[in-house]
Each structure stands twice: as C-alpha cells, then as structure tokens.
Amino acid sequence: MTQEAHHAEHQSAAVVAADALGVFVRAMAGIEQATPESAHFYDGLCEAVCRAVKVDRSVMFLYDEGLRRVRPVGSHRIDRDRFPIEGVGIEDAPLSRVCLEEDRVVDSLDANDDELNRPDLQQLPQGDLAYVPIAAGGTWYGVMVVEQTTGEPLGDAQRDALWIAGKVVAFAAEARRATRHQEQARQLEHRLLLVRQVHEQVIQRLFGLNLVLGSGTALEGEALERARVEVEATQADLRQLLHGPQLTTGAPTAMRLAEEVERLRRAHATVELRADLEDGVEVPLPLESLAQSVLGEAVRNALKHGEPTVLHVSLTRRDDALSLTIDSDGVRGSAGVPSGSGLGLRLAAVEALQVGGLLEFGARGDGEWRVRLLLPMGDETEVGA
C-alpha cells in the first residue's frame, strides 16, 4: 500500500468514526430520561450504529446492576424476545469474551481467527456477525452484535467506527449507572427519614403502651379505651408514613421465582441450592421483582459473609400470606452473625412494608442465617395501591 493510499484510508476511517460519534452525541440527548427499562433509548443507539457504520441490524447486551445479569437492552431489526428472559452468561458467548478481553471488534468473517470456530449465543440470527466490545477504563459493560449482508469482512474504517461506538455506549452505560446510584442514595435518604419518623411518631406511642400493659394492672373503663385509641393512632401513623414515595429494589420482571431459583442454581454450582416451593403457589406478578430481589440479596450476602454449603429456599402459603424463606449455613462472624449487612435487604424491607408485607433477617442458630419475606396474597394485590 502506497503512503498516499494509507493516508486516504486512515482519513476515511477518521471521518467515519467522527460521524459515528456525532450520531451518538445526538442520540444520547435523552440520557437523563433513560431508565434500566428504556428500550426506546437503547434501540435508538442500535439504530444509530447501523446508520453511521453501514451495517444492517444490531442487538445490544449490557450488564444490569439491578438485576445483576447480562440482558438484551436494545436492538435494531432483531427481535429481543428471542433471547431468554433471565439474560445470558459470558460462558455462553466465547466470541463476546474475546472481543472484551482483547478490546477489539471480532468479525466472524475473519477466517484466520481460530476462536471463530467456537459457537456463540444460539439465539443470535444466522449471518455475518461482528462483536463490538462495550468497555472503557478496564470495565466491561457489555457487547453489541452487528450484522452486515455484504459477505465481506469489515473494513478498517468500519472497525474503527464500531470500536468508538462501543466506547460511547460504555459512556452511556456509566451515566446510567451513576443515575442508578443517585437514585439508591435518594432512596436511602428517604428510608432514614422514614426510620426517624417511625421512631418519633410510632415507637414513643408503643413505649407508653408497653409501660401500661407491663404494669400488671387490669385495664378497665377509661384506661382500656385510652389504650385502644393509642393502638388505632399508631396504626394510622404507620399507614400515613408508608404512603410516601415507593422504593424499588429491582426492575419489573416477567420471570417467575422458580425460574430465578434455577438460574441461581446454575450460577452458583459450588453451593447446594435446595428448593422447596409449595405446589400451586406463586408470587403475585406485581411482587415478583421484590421477591426475586430479596432472594438474590440473600444468596449474595450468604456467599459474601460466609462459606455456605447449603442454601435452602422455601415458598409456602398460609391463609392470605405468602412466606419466602432463605436459610443458609456457614456464616462467619461472632455468634453466627455476618460481619456486615447489605443495603439491598434494608431497602427491600421498606419496600415490603409499603406493599403490606414484612422482611426480617437474622441469626437462627450457630453459624446459620435466615431471611424471610412475608407478602400479602389478597386477590387484589397491587404494588403502590
């Protein structure tokens, strides 16, 4: 290649890359409104890639911190429903791993690449696929898979543009991560305010009632009526306090609890995960996200704060209440209490209260820990009702 030709090709690559960057800057104008479920936003990014880099269709996979799994978040001319609801794992996508580890665009038409003889994501369309790393600063955010139908390998200019596009998408993902952290901080602040209000308005009433009931004196007449009024006032205070902004620990999900249990079993093969789910009992769909969030946090905390050999998950129904229990052994720390506790379960406890449920967790013997979520099972169970 002559020096002039090399210069022209380099200039062409720079122009295409600059055009791609400009398209993404415009597409990211809606980043402040984007949420973990903003399919339209990520669909727009996928479409911008296809138009700027001259490829036919694309699908984007990102790691979701809320769900803690890789899932398809956007696509252009590829149906996301073809991929499993629970997301995909890097172990099922060796070509994606190559593009992330080596931080380069991997083209399936590169005949000299030995890695291309290995299968990648059976749900992907058959065609000439290329894998674009969404990574920056040593952090892996995900992968974008693009397809072109020319039958020719990607040119250097297209590879450069796709590589830059991956960096821009990584910026968008990091912006979303920062937004999520800000939301978690806001929720924590609200929770601390709620705790303070509960202490000021409820605990003091209960303390007074405890003194009266613990005196051993039989309550009659005016004293009994006063106690009844105090109990009703306490209930009213709690209802008022819990009607504040809803706290959420996870995005809505179409998965069922049994499917999530199976996913966790596959993800943590070194621990025996026993499931005892009562036949015919299911978590109401509006509460699935909360239940699965509690389950995931319980499993993560057990692995983080101990060396469990068995995780026992049970789901039972008693009258109008549903009980989800996660028992673990091998807890480290004095008296079987973990050395730390996660923010996730604390936020979930407030969310449980807001939907009429209860979340409790603590030691239940030497080196054992229990997390139990109680949820209402009325026919009209609704989140935020």
Side-chain angles (χ1 to χ4, degrees), residues 45-334:
L45 291 182
C46 289
E47 183 178 1
V49 169
C50 294
R51 291 186 175 183
V53 192
K54 304 299 188 295
V55 291
D56 296 287
R57 51 182 179 167
S58 64
V59 59
M60 185 191 304
F61 299 88
L62 289 181
Y63 178 73
D64 188 305
E65 280 194 322
L67 299 177
R68 289 180 171 85
R69 68 187 66 135
V70 177
R71 63 188 187 92
V73 296
S75 64
H76 178 59
R77 300 176 63 189
I78 294 178
D79 187 2
R80 288 196 307 274
D81 292 340
R82 68 192 303 163
F83 301 97
I85 297 175
E86 69 271 18
V88 298
I90 194 68
E91 66 278 2
D92 300 320
L95 300 186
S96 299
R97 175 180 284 276
V98 170
C99 87
L100 287 167
E101 289 179 341
E102 300 182 8
D103 194 18
R104 66 181 176 92
V105 176
V106 175
D107 191 343
S108 62
L109 293 180
D110 289 341
N112 296 327
D113 198 326
D114 294 336
E115 290 287 347
L116 298 182
N117 294 322
R118 303 171 62 185
D120 197 318
L121 287 182
Q122 296 179 356
Q123 298 86 0
L124 283 171
Q126 298 295 323
D128 301 334
L129 305 179
Y131 301 82
V132 182
I134 302 176
T139 300
W140 295 358
Y141 295 94
V143 171
M144 179 180 294
V145 183
V146 301
E147 180 187 13
Q148 64 172 356
T149 57
T150 63
E152 298 292 333
L154 293 170
D156 291 341
Q158 284 181 300
R159 291 174 188 265
D160 289 346
L162 285 170
W163 187 80
I164 291 178
K167 301 302 180 187
V168 176
V169 174
F171 169 75
E174 182 60 33
R176 284 300 308 132
R177 177 180 293 183
T179 302
R180 180 186 288 275
H181 288 168
Q182 290 175 354
E183 176 63 15
Q184 288 179 334
R186 186 196 66 79
Q187 291 191 6
L188 177 59
E189 181 180 359
H190 175 70
R191 177 184 177 272
L192 294 175
L193 176 61
L194 177 62
V195 170
R196 184 163 60 248
Q197 290 175 327
V198 167
H199 182 268
E200 293 175 353
Q201 297 179 226
V202 177
I203 299 300
Q204 291 183 10
R205 290 183 184 274
L206 293 177
F207 180 74
L209 284 172
N210 183 60
L211 291 178
V212 173
L213 296 176
S215 65
T217 303
L219 297 181
E220 298 179 354
E222 183 178 348
L224 181 61
E225 176 64 16
R226 178 64 183 274
R228 186 190 64 79
V229 170
E230 286 295 314
V231 169
E232 289 185 351
T234 300
Q235 292 176 330
D237 286 344
L238 279 173
R239 283 194 295 268
Q240 181 181 7
L241 291 174
L242 294 178
H243 281 169
Q246 291 289 318
L247 300 187
T248 57
T249 56
T253 177
M255 284 184 64
R256 306 304 297 194
L257 184 68
E259 296 173 306
E260 176 65 0
V261 169
E262 289 302 316
R263 189 193 69 83
L264 289 171
R265 180 181 284 121
R266 294 192 301 270
H268 304 289
T270 58
V271 179
E272 181 183 358
L273 200 158
R274 300 175 184 172
D276 184 13
L277 309 182
E278 186 175 329
D279 291 340
V281 175
E282 285 192 337
V283 178
L285 193 56
L287 302 179
E288 276 283 7
S289 177
L290 172 60
Q292 292 178 33
S293 175
V294 169
L295 172 61
E297 287 290 339
V299 171
R300 282 186 291 275
N301 286 344
L303 295 172
K304 180 179 180 181
H305 300 297
E307 299 175 352
T309 59
V310 177
L311 294 171
H312 185 199
V313 180
S314 63
L315 179 69
T316 59
R317 178 172 180 172
R318 294 295 180 271
D319 298 326
D320 292 332
L322 190 71
S323 174
L324 172 64
T325 305
I326 305 98
D327 291 320
S328 60
D329 62 357
V331 176
R332 293 192 298 265
S334 60

Side-chain angles (χ1 to χ4, degrees), residues 19-37:
D19 288 344
L21 185 57
V23 171
F24 275 91
V25 169
R26 293 193 298 271
M28 289 174 59
I31 188 65
E32 292 183 357
Q33 288 74 41
T35 69
E37 293 298 311

Side-chain angles (χ1 to χ4, degrees), residues 343-364:
L343 174 62
L345 284 180
R346 297 178 184 275
L347 288 175
V350 178
E351 186 182 353
L353 287 173
Q354 290 187 308
V355 298
L358 176 67
L359 176 62
E360 56 184 7
F361 46 93
R364 61 179 302 268

